[in-house]
Structure formats: C-alpha cells, structure tokens
Amino acid sequence: MGRIARGMVAAMLALAPPGAAAHPHVFIDTGLEVIFDADGRLSAVQVVWVYDEFYTMLALDDYGMDPEFTGTVTAHEREQLAAIYANWDPGYNGDLRPLLDGVEVPLGGPTRVVADVQDARLVIAHRRVFADPLRLEGRELVLRVYDPTYFIAYTIASDPVVSGRGDCAASVHGPDRQAAEERLQAALDALLASGADPWAVEAEFPAVGADFAEEVRLTCGGPS
C-alpha cells in the first residue's frame, strides 16, 4: 500500500459529493528537512506528514486502534503504524519529486519510519536517501510535494530545515490557486459534458495535482 489505508477510501468517497467539491479528501501538513553529508553533498530528505483529524480517526478505526477515540496510541500501536506506512506500493514515489535544474532525481524508498498520534492527528516521519548525493553549487533543487490525483492536499506547513551546511537558502512557494481551480473546473466541466455520471467522476478524476503543488526551492553557495 501507499500512504492511504485502503479500507477507508470507500468510506471517504461515500461521504463526498460529486464534482469539484469531492477533492481533496485527505489533508496533510508536511515538513521537510534537507540533509547534507560531510562533503557538503545533499544526501537525504527527511519528511514529516501530519494527517488531518478525520483521516486519523478513520485510519485508527480501520486498523483496530484507539477504540475509545482518545486520540492516542500505545507504543505497540506506534510500531504497527510505522510498519504499515513503511509498506509502499511498487512505483509509489511518496508524492515527493526532487527536480535538479528541472530534471527529476530519483529517491530511495522510506527508511527510519516513525509513527505517532499527536493532538488526535497521525504523524508519520520517514527519510528518503539519494542513491548519488547531489552537488548543488550554482544549481537549484526544487522539492515538489503533491498527489497527482489530488485525492490528498499537501501543505508545506513549516519552514524547511537545512542540516549539514550553513550557506544554503530554502524557501517555500505555492501555486497560483485561482488558476489551478479554474483548470480543475474546466476539466470537470469537460468530463461531465462527455456524459460521465457525476457520482462516478472519482474514477476518471483529472490528474490536476501538479497544478496545486507546493514546493521548496533550495540553493547553496560554495563548497562547505
């Protein structure tokens, strides 16, 4: 599986109205830390996902955890959650796309996965490692965070952290939301005009997630 529990997707869809209001279904506040090695090369990205309370409630119920809805989990349940969210579907990229000079750079799968529930919200932290650490001097790295299907809405909720170098600048940039909403509505209008059932739009929902992507832009000075 990826980052969404399969058993609750049907419940979310059943509660959602047809049309543009049906997306997104899940909301995740995201934190990013870029990690440099001793040679000043970008070696990994630490990612933190903080899920919304509704998803958290459905997820814990789906997993048979926290039956009293206290918003907390035991140490054993934290271990179980970490194992669940470390098990990604083949080909899933973690909804994180690093672009170096506009070219996507591959990342490894999740490592050091840690899970908890804080303030009734599921928190998943994991690390992604570059197979070949990156030299960034004179180049720009962009970390784009989005779900192509827009089932999930990601928000970069805190300033990115830079570890291992002191001469790098990282800034958060958001989409043109009005333009993104207009493109989404136009795509939905075209889909419905083609005769699609409004209640079946989910199966053919336009891949507009990139239009809503938030991103971190990272640049560095000379070698550390």
Side-chain angles (χ1 to χ4, degrees):
M1 66 174 292
R3 70 290 187 206
I4 292 298
R6 296 182 188 278
M8 70 194 67
V9 171
M12 289 181 165
L13 298 183
L15 292 172
H23 274 236
H25 296 286
V26 179
F27 300 85
I28 297 179
D29 288 342
T30 304
L32 297 174
E33 176 186 1
V34 291
I35 301 170
F36 290 85
D37 65 16
D39 294 323
R41 302 172 303 175
L42 180 62
S43 61
V45 180
Q46 181 74 13
V47 182
V48 178
W49 292 330
V50 183
Y51 288 79
D52 65 82
E53 292 184 13
F54 182 59
Y55 172 85
T56 299
M57 180 183 67
L58 291 178
L60 296 182
D61 181 66
D62 194 60
Y63 302 139
M65 301 177 187
D66 190 25
E68 302 300 323
F69 298 106
T70 63
T72 60
V73 289
T74 67
H76 178 62
E77 288 170 337
R78 288 195 291 271
E79 292 178 359
Q80 290 180 302
L81 285 167
I84 290 168
Y85 284 85
N87 184 21
W88 289 5
D89 287 331
Y92 174 55
N93 70 356
D95 292 339
L96 176 64
R97 291 163 176 79
L99 302 171
L100 184 59
D101 297 334
V103 178
E104 186 163 349
V105 181
L107 272 173
T111 62
R112 306 188 189 187
V113 180
V114 178
D116 199 359
V117 175
Q118 300 174 1
D119 298 324
R121 300 180 69 185
L122 177 63
V123 181
I124 303 294
H126 59 278
R127 183 166 295 191
R128 309 285 303 281
V129 176
F130 292 98
D132 297 310
L134 306 176
R135 285 286 185 191
L136 297 187
E137 291 78 13
R139 311 172 77 180
E140 181 181 63
L141 180 82
V142 177
L143 295 169
R144 303 202 79 204
V145 181
Y146 67 95
D147 169 17
T149 69
Y150 201 42
F151 190 93
I152 303 171
Y154 288 91
T155 299
I156 300 175
S158 57
D159 291 336
V161 176
V162 179
S163 296
R165 288 186 66 156
D167 62 342
C168 300
S171 56
V172 177
H173 299 264
D176 182 337
R177 295 199 66 86
Q178 181 176 344
E181 293 287 357
E182 290 174 353
R183 285 193 291 270
L184 170 57
Q185 191 58 58
L188 288 170
D189 289 345
L191 183 60
L192 294 174
S194 71
D197 182 344
W199 287 99
V201 166
E202 286 289 341
E204 302 178 62
F205 200 85
V208 296
D211 292 336
F212 292 88
E214 296 195 351
E215 64 187 33
V216 169
R217 300 175 189 171
L218 176 69
T219 56
C220 297
S224 59

